[in-house]
Amino acid sequence: MQEVPAEDRREDLDPVAAGESPRDARSAPPAPPVPEVRDRGPHAVADPSTLEAPAKILVRGLDFWYGDRQVLFGNDLEVAERRVTAIIGPSGCGKSTHIRVYNRMFELYRDQRASGTVLLDGENLLDPEMDLIDLRRRVGMIFQRPTPFPMSVFDNVAYGLRLHYRISRSQLEERVESALRGAALWDEVNDKLDEPGTALSGGQQQRLCIARAIAVEPEVLLMDEPTSAVDPVATAKLEELVDTLKDQYTIVIVTHNMQQAARISDFTAFFYKGYVVEFGPTERIFTNPSERQTEDYITGRFG
Amino acid sequence: MTDTTYDATRTTGRSAPPFPLRSRARRRASDTMVRIASTAAALFALVFLFWILAVVARRGAAALDWTFFTSLPSPPGEAGGGLANAILGTAAMTVMAALIGVPLGLFTGIYQSEFGRGTRFGSFVRFTINVMLGIPSILSGLFVYTLMVVTMGHFSGLAGGVSLAILIFPYVARTTEDMLGLVPDAMRESSLALGAPRWKTTLGVVFRAARSGLATGILLSVARVSGETAPLLFTALNSPYWPKNFAEPTANLTVTIFNYAMSPYSDWQRLAWGASLLITLLVLVVTVFTRWRVGEVET
């Protein structure tokens, strides 16, 4: 677990290089291993025109390495705007790794590298010139376990707002309330705004994290198995919430739960061993998969 | 059990073990032995602790009166006198040491936990801190003696504070690294994912999450260092006068204990016991206070 973003590290340890050297060391892998040759089927690379919405994120040829070990191979994917895209697949197939590229969270760890093209609104977000802080304001993330910050409910939601905006107290209060309403949490916490965020229940904490993420008005919300640590009732609430959130946000959700993917997503990508095996409208993936592996997985024959 | 009725009188029999069973009596005997041995060791340690506390309390309590806290020590052989100057001097040097050592330790711990993890320099720093933790405190005194006392030409409270700061530093650095290390990475990622810069994540979220542990570690290290004697012998020395500034030898409790306990005068010996009790109480109070505070934060 190393945690130095590329730019920080260079400044800390190599002040001379900090000025001149371009920050592309990370995105230029060494000798790329030859990916396993396999037929990925007619639907593996969907033409953006098959999405009935424009592609907010367009991924082409995304490779990813943990040190010398390659874990993503030539991923191609389109994420439709204001739709829910689910990523399913067995454990260790690269689902989380894939979405952690979208906000470049992987850069926190020094041995992780990505290469390829990931266009956000047509702009390659892997470009070293991309401003990370701005990228992360536009692409929010919800994690497996709720991570309320050690501060009050109010301050949790206000955290991101204070980071990015000069904002008056009254505007702040307004935005915190609307974010909490947006996360379907306001009615449960409006009398507990000064209590610590950790005092809420698990499901409430996860919705608090969603409120915190949407408070800064991102365009994309990445959810990494957001319901894996909450009970079924809270899961149902979160799923309902995802359904309302997609009116405003582009959502990518990684899930282990195939029923969940079928219930809430418009598009589904099936990942296996680092490859995007199949991608398409959720209904088709679940009723008429064209790949044998997809069918085996969704019918529970493996995974 | 949909079609068969449940019959409580019909039960399964015990199946035969696949191998001969180990002797149950022996198992019980060794369990008892280990339990007795470890309980005895724990009691033994406690007995000595309470013995020390009892002796210090009994002898020291007699010395702790109003003059102990308000007066200067009396000349040898004369009755009365207190250690007000030493109390003040110890407090001042401990505060100075904390002001120097705590921030340095905090930032070193932050570096190790947040920036230097997995780097060669980071592991070098960790190794050095561990070595510093193991260095006898007298070496810190000798080091500052050659560095400051010799060059300045006289003992001073400043040198005393610096030698104590050198002892506080590794404790705080280690505690900080440990406590920040307990904060899950998901917490850091959540803050960074909102677009927070690294320093803001560290100070605004990670530090806050670890604050009770950090406060405990810092208080304990300061309390511990306030009871150090060896580093002060070579640096602050001691003085029968009020501490006026940090440029001269400065009175302090621990060297006073050392000097007075070895002296032939019963009044001085009495004061030494009083000083011992005072320091013991200080460490005890800080420890109990931090335990209580941490318990409160956790619940």
Side-chain angles (χ1 to χ4, degrees):
Chain A
M1 303 228 180
Q2 303 112 0
E3 292 201 280
V4 184
E7 58 273 41
D8 286 9
R9 188 178 81 237
R10 222 165 259 115
E11 276 158 23
D12 286 348
L13 301 181
D14 195 356
V16 185
E20 310 102 54
S21 101
R23 309 189 313 195
D24 58 1
R26 179 172 294 274
S27 49
V34 182
E36 186 187 334
V37 179
R38 50 194 302 283
D39 179 17
R40 297 188 309 161
H43 298 276
V45 181
D47 190 297
S49 59
T50 64
L51 307 176
E52 77 260 24
K56 181 77 180 170
I57 296 176
L58 193 120
V59 185
R60 287 292 176 265
L62 176 64
D63 294 328
F64 196 93
W65 286 266
Y66 288 112
D68 296 332
R69 191 164 57 94
Q70 185 168 4
V71 294
L72 294 181
F73 302 90
N75 289 178
D76 294 339
L77 204 67
E78 298 81 34
V79 176
E81 188 178 31
R82 299 190 187 189
R83 295 288 187 277
V84 178
T85 303
I87 297 183
I88 59 170
S91 297
C93 67
K95 308 182 293 284
S96 298
T97 305
H98 182 91
I99 66 162
R100 286 164 66 86
V101 173
Y102 293 0
N103 64 350
R104 286 174 51 182
M105 193 43 80
F106 68 91
E107 288 188 4
L108 194 52
Y109 306 95
R110 78 182 52 222
D111 64 334
Q112 303 187 8
R113 283 187 330 276
S115 82
T117 309
V118 182
L119 301 180
L120 172 64
D121 289 335
E123 223 184 320
N124 188 3
L125 59 82
L126 285 175
D127 187 336
E129 297 299 307
M130 174 65 87
D131 180 50
L132 263 191
I133 288 179
D134 190 53
L135 172 66
R136 288 172 180 169
R137 187 185 58 74
R138 292 166 65 195
V139 182
M141 192 168 205
I142 310 297
F143 297 82
Q144 275 191 31
R145 298 194 157 271
T147 51
F149 294 150
M151 48 186 86
S152 71
V153 170
F154 183 91
D155 287 338
N156 259 283
V157 183
Y159 183 84
L161 287 167
R162 289 186 174 125
L163 273 176
H164 294 288
Y165 308 111
R166 292 173 188 280
I167 186 171
S168 73
R169 178 73 199 185
S170 61
Q171 286 169 318
L172 191 65
E173 281 170 4
E174 220 170 86
R175 287 293 289 272
V176 167
E177 177 177 341
S178 72
L180 284 168
R181 284 189 191 282
L185 190 59
W186 176 255
D187 294 336
E188 290 161 59
V189 301
N190 67 58
D191 54 344
K192 298 183 193 166
L193 293 178
D194 294 327
E195 285 177 29
T198 45
L200 303 179
S201 74
Q204 288 174 330
Q205 288 185 13
Q206 195 60 301
R207 276 178 285 146
L208 177 66
C209 292
I210 291 174
R212 190 170 68 190
I214 63 177
V216 298
E217 306 256 306
E219 297 154 31
V220 180
L221 272 181
L222 309 174
M223 300 188 169
D224 189 355
E225 297 184 37
T227 60
S228 65
V230 300
D231 65 56
V233 175
T235 298
K237 271 189 191 166
L238 283 167
E239 289 184 4
E240 227 170 273
L241 177 58
V242 167
D243 205 52
T244 58
L245 287 174
K246 77 174 186 184
D247 294 342
Q248 246 183 303
Y249 307 97
T250 302
I251 295 172
V252 185
I253 181 167
V254 165
T255 177
H256 256 121
N257 180 333
M258 279 176 288
Q259 285 72 35
Q260 183 170 68
R263 278 192 299 265
I264 64 177
S265 72
D266 302 295
F267 297 93
T268 297
F270 171 59
F271 273 56
Y272 186 61
K273 291 189 173 168
Y275 291 90
V276 183
V277 173
E278 188 160 3
F279 173 62
T282 299
E283 208 191 313
R284 188 187 63 69
I285 297 280
F286 278 92
T287 54
N288 185 23
S290 52
E291 291 288 311
R292 181 63 194 275
Q293 279 165 318
T294 314
E295 191 181 341
D296 285 352
Y297 183 70
I298 61 177
T299 53
R301 266 191 284 257
F302 82 98
Chain B
M1 264 189 250
T2 44
D3 48 359
T4 55
T5 47
Y6 180 63
D7 178 2
T9 59
R10 278 184 58 212
T11 65
T12 52
R14 183 179 165 152
S15 49
F19 304 103
L21 290 168
R22 282 182 182 279
S23 150
R24 235 191 271 188
R26 270 185 60 181
R27 213 162 53 192
R28 257 190 219 133
S30 38
D31 177 57
T32 311
M33 263 159 53
V34 170
R35 192 180 301 193
I36 289 174
S38 43
T39 310
L43 280 175
F44 191 67
L46 279 183
V47 162
F48 275 98
L49 176 68
F50 281 102
W51 194 352
I52 293 172
L53 284 179
V55 171
V56 170
R58 191 165 49 82
R59 304 267 216 144
L64 294 186
D65 51 19
W66 182 245
T67 44
F68 181 88
F69 292 99
T70 54
S71 317
L72 290 175
S74 50
E78 250 174 64
L83 291 178
N85 59 338
I87 294 171
L88 196 65
T90 288
M93 282 191 288
T94 306
V95 167
M96 183 167 79
L99 288 179
I100 302 170
V102 170
L104 278 176
L106 275 176
F107 279 103
T108 306
I110 288 175
Y111 172 78
Q112 284 180 270
S113 161
E114 306 300 307
F115 300 103
R117 258 202 254 179
T119 65
R120 287 175 69 177
F121 183 64
S123 28
F124 176 69
V125 172
R126 179 173 305 109
F127 176 76
T128 313
I129 298 284
N130 283 337
V131 171
M132 278 184 83
L133 278 171
I135 286 180
S137 60
I138 196 165
L139 288 184
S140 160
L142 272 177
F143 171 71
V144 175
Y145 175 81
T146 53
L147 195 77
M148 294 178 70
V149 177
V150 171
T151 49
M152 286 161 67
H154 53 82
F155 295 100
S156 68
L158 182 67
V162 170
S163 70
L164 293 182
I166 290 176
L167 296 175
I168 286 183
F169 164 76
Y171 278 122
V172 175
R174 177 67 176 275
T175 309
T176 306
E177 194 201 353
D178 289 349
M179 292 300 148
L180 298 188
L182 291 178
V183 178
D185 280 343
M187 193 81 94
R188 294 175 177 86
E189 290 187 1
S190 300
S191 171
L192 293 168
L194 285 167
R198 198 54 207 262
W199 68 269
K200 176 83 186 168
T201 299
T202 301
L203 295 183
V205 174
V206 180
F207 226 72
R208 267 178 103 121
R211 68 192 158 193
S212 75
L214 287 175
T216 306
I218 290 169
L219 272 176
L220 285 179
S221 64
V222 170
R224 207 156 171 177
V225 158
S226 69
E228 282 288 351
T229 317
L232 296 181
L233 273 173
F234 297 98
T235 52
L237 200 63
N238 203 354
S239 155
Y241 309 113
W242 290 104
K244 287 187 200 66
N245 56 52
F246 281 126
E248 359 181 287
T250 304
N252 61 82
L253 286 170
T254 45
V255 177
T256 301
I257 293 173
F258 176 74
N259 290 339
Y260 283 21
M262 311 284 278
S263 77
Y265 314 109
S266 64
D267 255 11
W268 279 15
Q269 288 168 5
R270 190 178 55 87
L271 286 179
W273 281 112
S276 308
L277 178 60
L278 189 62
I279 287 181
T280 311
L281 285 178
L282 174 80
V283 175
L284 207 67
V285 165
V286 169
T287 311
V288 171
F289 171 74
T290 49
R291 286 269 164 271
W292 164 76
R293 226 186 74 101
V294 169
E296 198 163 72
V297 168
E298 276 165 5
T299 49

